[in-house]
Amino acid sequence: MTPADLSLTVQHAVRRAVDDGALRVDVPPRVKVEKARPGGVGEYASSVALSLARPAGRPALDVASVLKERLEGAAGILAVDITGPGFLNFTLRRETGAELVRAVRAAGPSYGRGDALAGDVVRFEPPAEARARVVVECLVGLLLGQGADAGLETGGERPHVHPGAYEPERLGTDAARWRLLRAAPHDRPLDGPPLLVRHERNPLFRVQYAHSRARRLLVNAAQLGVLPVHEDDGTGVEGPLPGLLRDHPGVLLAAARHRAPDRVARHLEAVADALLGFQHTVLPLGDEKPSAAHRSRLALAEAAGTVLAGGLSVLGISAPDRI
């Protein structure tokens, strides 16, 4: 379950409570859910009960209890807890490896996009400075990808962007954009020339190389007669990669909300490093026969490559099949 899915689930619980007569409020057009704070309960939290308490004429704890009754047992939710003055806290059910792979495969490079920000209207002041233009262009794409109505308009938002030159002629489009987007908008852009070096110390190279490795693994697997099928039989991959793929939708949503495309770039680096760390276990070695473990690992590698391609596309950067 993505943050956008959870937001809709909570909104539907409010609507059911209103339809049942348990609450007398207007159903909010969108319910905000956020990562639970350190030391909190569960993975996500929402203050919707506090915002509905006054119009409902009831204590926030009562409103939270009404909503908890309608949220327990919902698909994707393992537990609902009420904390403090009426915060709803959610522990989510973990998707199986097969469910995760199916979700990525069904969405393709669009995995992680949704309508969590549907109804939001965001306008940016048309920027004159070079780096600001690149950052705002990326932010518009991120917001559109989460369902917002986003664009340029005189008098709109002006994100704080440290100036920097956009130099595709000197660096190429990919390095020129990564240089400006990988650093937080308010920080200085990265140094350009190191991004042209094909070395593991170059994060742009690592991300693009990891995507190319995922694609090459599929080609090599086909030659061995191995198909990418995650079978959920205990032969899945250990390590951080599945969790990083699950987190991808939340990263895109947070990047849009916080006007921070650098979050996407940092997440892609983590996905690339996790993929490169286990790539050598994906295919049979020597006389080893293909097994369910190899099929599952290959399916996860394919999903990781899809996430890398989609994330690079969000940044306006290419995802080459071969490097």
PDB file of all heavy atoms in Angstrom, residues 5-17:
ATOM      1  N   ASP A   5      -2.543   5.373  -1.560  1.00  0.00           N
ATOM      2  CA  ASP A   5      -3.585   4.379  -1.284  1.00  0.00           C
ATOM      3  C   ASP A   5      -4.118   4.534   0.139  1.00  0.00           C
ATOM      4  O   ASP A   5      -5.328   4.455   0.377  1.00  0.00           O
ATOM      5  CB  ASP A   5      -3.045   2.961  -1.466  1.00  0.00           C
ATOM      6  CG  ASP A   5      -2.648   2.651  -2.901  1.00  0.00           C
ATOM      7  OD1 ASP A   5      -3.248   3.253  -3.817  1.00  0.00           O
ATOM      8  OD2 ASP A   5      -1.746   1.826  -3.098  1.00  0.00           O
ATOM      9  N   LEU A   6      -3.207   4.745   1.090  1.00  0.00           N
ATOM     10  CA  LEU A   6      -3.615   4.899   2.488  1.00  0.00           C
ATOM     11  C   LEU A   6      -4.464   6.143   2.668  1.00  0.00           C
ATOM     12  O   LEU A   6      -5.474   6.127   3.383  1.00  0.00           O
ATOM     13  CB  LEU A   6      -2.379   4.959   3.380  1.00  0.00           C
ATOM     14  CG  LEU A   6      -2.637   5.130   4.883  1.00  0.00           C
ATOM     15  CD1 LEU A   6      -3.507   4.009   5.424  1.00  0.00           C
ATOM     16  CD2 LEU A   6      -1.299   5.192   5.635  1.00  0.00           C
ATOM     17  N   SER A   7      -4.079   7.223   2.005  1.00  0.00           N
ATOM     18  CA  SER A   7      -4.871   8.460   2.083  1.00  0.00           C
ATOM     19  C   SER A   7      -6.302   8.225   1.608  1.00  0.00           C
ATOM     20  O   SER A   7      -7.267   8.656   2.253  1.00  0.00           O
ATOM     21  CB  SER A   7      -4.205   9.547   1.231  1.00  0.00           C
ATOM     22  OG  SER A   7      -5.004  10.716   1.181  1.00  0.00           O
ATOM     23  N   LEU A   8      -6.441   7.518   0.487  1.00  0.00           N
ATOM     24  CA  LEU A   8      -7.784   7.228  -0.032  1.00  0.00           C
ATOM     25  C   LEU A   8      -8.553   6.299   0.902  1.00  0.00           C
ATOM     26  O   LEU A   8      -9.761   6.464   1.092  1.00  0.00           O
ATOM     27  CB  LEU A   8      -7.674   6.600  -1.422  1.00  0.00           C
ATOM     28  CG  LEU A   8      -7.285   7.533  -2.566  1.00  0.00           C
ATOM     29  CD1 LEU A   8      -7.085   6.734  -3.845  1.00  0.00           C
ATOM     30  CD2 LEU A   8      -8.334   8.608  -2.773  1.00  0.00           C
ATOM     31  N   THR A   9      -7.865   5.344   1.500  1.00  0.00           N
ATOM     32  CA  THR A   9      -8.522   4.417   2.420  1.00  0.00           C
ATOM     33  C   THR A   9      -9.090   5.162   3.624  1.00  0.00           C
ATOM     34  O   THR A   9     -10.219   4.905   4.065  1.00  0.00           O
ATOM     35  CB  THR A   9      -7.528   3.336   2.884  1.00  0.00           C
ATOM     36  OG1 THR A   9      -7.079   2.600   1.744  1.00  0.00           O
ATOM     37  CG2 THR A   9      -8.172   2.377   3.869  1.00  0.00           C
ATOM     38  N   VAL A  10      -8.308   6.099   4.163  1.00  0.00           N
ATOM     39  CA  VAL A  10      -8.789   6.882   5.313  1.00  0.00           C
ATOM     40  C   VAL A  10      -9.952   7.785   4.890  1.00  0.00           C
ATOM     41  O   VAL A  10     -10.947   7.929   5.612  1.00  0.00           O
ATOM     42  CB  VAL A  10      -7.643   7.709   5.920  1.00  0.00           C
ATOM     43  CG1 VAL A  10      -8.158   8.550   7.095  1.00  0.00           C
ATOM     44  CG2 VAL A  10      -6.512   6.803   6.387  1.00  0.00           C
ATOM     45  N   GLN A  11      -9.833   8.386   3.716  1.00  0.00           N
ATOM     46  CA  GLN A  11     -10.927   9.233   3.226  1.00  0.00           C
ATOM     47  C   GLN A  11     -12.214   8.422   3.080  1.00  0.00           C
ATOM     48  O   GLN A  11     -13.303   8.882   3.438  1.00  0.00           O
ATOM     49  CB  GLN A  11     -10.544   9.862   1.888  1.00  0.00           C
ATOM     50  CG  GLN A  11     -11.593  10.828   1.339  1.00  0.00           C
ATOM     51  CD  GLN A  11     -11.332  11.171  -0.112  1.00  0.00           C
ATOM     52  OE1 GLN A  11     -11.068  10.289  -0.924  1.00  0.00           O
ATOM     53  NE2 GLN A  11     -11.391  12.456  -0.434  1.00  0.00           N
ATOM     54  N   HIS A  12     -12.108   7.200   2.559  1.00  0.00           N
ATOM     55  CA  HIS A  12     -13.286   6.343   2.407  1.00  0.00           C
ATOM     56  C   HIS A  12     -13.872   5.977   3.767  1.00  0.00           C
ATOM     57  O   HIS A  12     -15.099   5.851   3.912  1.00  0.00           O
ATOM     58  CB  HIS A  12     -12.918   5.075   1.636  1.00  0.00           C
ATOM     59  CG  HIS A  12     -12.567   5.342   0.205  1.00  0.00           C
ATOM     60  ND1 HIS A  12     -11.881   4.448  -0.579  1.00  0.00           N
ATOM     61  CD2 HIS A  12     -12.808   6.414  -0.592  1.00  0.00           C
ATOM     62  CE1 HIS A  12     -11.705   4.953  -1.782  1.00  0.00           C
ATOM     63  NE2 HIS A  12     -12.258   6.146  -1.819  1.00  0.00           N
ATOM     64  N   ALA A  13     -13.007   5.814   4.793  1.00  0.00           N
ATOM     65  CA  ALA A  13     -13.504   5.524   6.136  1.00  0.00           C
ATOM     66  C   ALA A  13     -14.310   6.702   6.673  1.00  0.00           C
ATOM     67  O   ALA A  13     -15.347   6.522   7.328  1.00  0.00           O
ATOM     68  CB  ALA A  13     -12.330   5.211   7.066  1.00  0.00           C
ATOM     69  N   VAL A  14     -13.838   7.912   6.396  1.00  0.00           N
ATOM     70  CA  VAL A  14     -14.603   9.104   6.810  1.00  0.00           C
ATOM     71  C   VAL A  14     -15.957   9.120   6.103  1.00  0.00           C
ATOM     72  O   VAL A  14     -16.999   9.377   6.723  1.00  0.00           O
ATOM     73  CB  VAL A  14     -13.815  10.397   6.500  1.00  0.00           C
ATOM     74  CG1 VAL A  14     -14.660  11.625   6.827  1.00  0.00           C
ATOM     75  CG2 VAL A  14     -12.503  10.432   7.277  1.00  0.00           C
ATOM     76  N   ARG A  15     -15.954   8.817   4.814  1.00  0.00           N
ATOM     77  CA  ARG A  15     -17.213   8.830   4.059  1.00  0.00           C
ATOM     78  C   ARG A  15     -18.188   7.785   4.604  1.00  0.00           C
ATOM     79  O   ARG A  15     -19.388   8.059   4.731  1.00  0.00           O
ATOM     80  CB  ARG A  15     -16.931   8.590   2.579  1.00  0.00           C
ATOM     81  CG  ARG A  15     -18.202   8.595   1.713  1.00  0.00           C
ATOM     82  CD  ARG A  15     -17.888   8.543   0.233  1.00  0.00           C
ATOM     83  NE  ARG A  15     -17.295   9.792  -0.237  1.00  0.00           N
ATOM     84  CZ  ARG A  15     -16.035   9.926  -0.646  1.00  0.00           C
ATOM     85  NH1 ARG A  15     -15.225   8.875  -0.640  1.00  0.00           N
ATOM     86  NH2 ARG A  15     -15.576  11.080  -1.059  1.00  0.00           N
ATOM     87  N   ARG A  16     -17.681   6.603   4.941  1.00  0.00           N
ATOM     88  CA  ARG A  16     -18.568   5.576   5.497  1.00  0.00           C
ATOM     89  C   ARG A  16     -19.135   6.013   6.849  1.00  0.00           C
ATOM     90  O   ARG A  16     -20.306   5.762   7.147  1.00  0.00           O
ATOM     91  CB  ARG A  16     -17.813   4.244   5.648  1.00  0.00           C
ATOM     92  CG  ARG A  16     -17.516   3.564   4.324  1.00  0.00           C
ATOM     93  CD  ARG A  16     -17.197   2.089   4.522  1.00  0.00           C
ATOM     94  NE  ARG A  16     -16.083   1.893   5.452  1.00  0.00           N
ATOM     95  CZ  ARG A  16     -14.800   1.931   5.105  1.00  0.00           C
ATOM     96  NH1 ARG A  16     -14.467   2.187   3.843  1.00  0.00           N
ATOM     97  NH2 ARG A  16     -13.864   1.719   6.003  1.00  0.00           N
ATOM     98  N   ALA A  17     -18.298   6.654   7.654  1.00  0.00           N
ATOM     99  CA  ALA A  17     -18.777   7.131   8.955  1.00  0.00           C
ATOM    100  C   ALA A  17     -19.864   8.181   8.785  1.00  0.00           C
ATOM    101  O   ALA A  17     -20.837   8.226   9.542  1.00  0.00           O
ATOM    102  CB  ALA A  17     -17.608   7.694   9.766  1.00  0.00           C
TER     103      ALA A  17
END
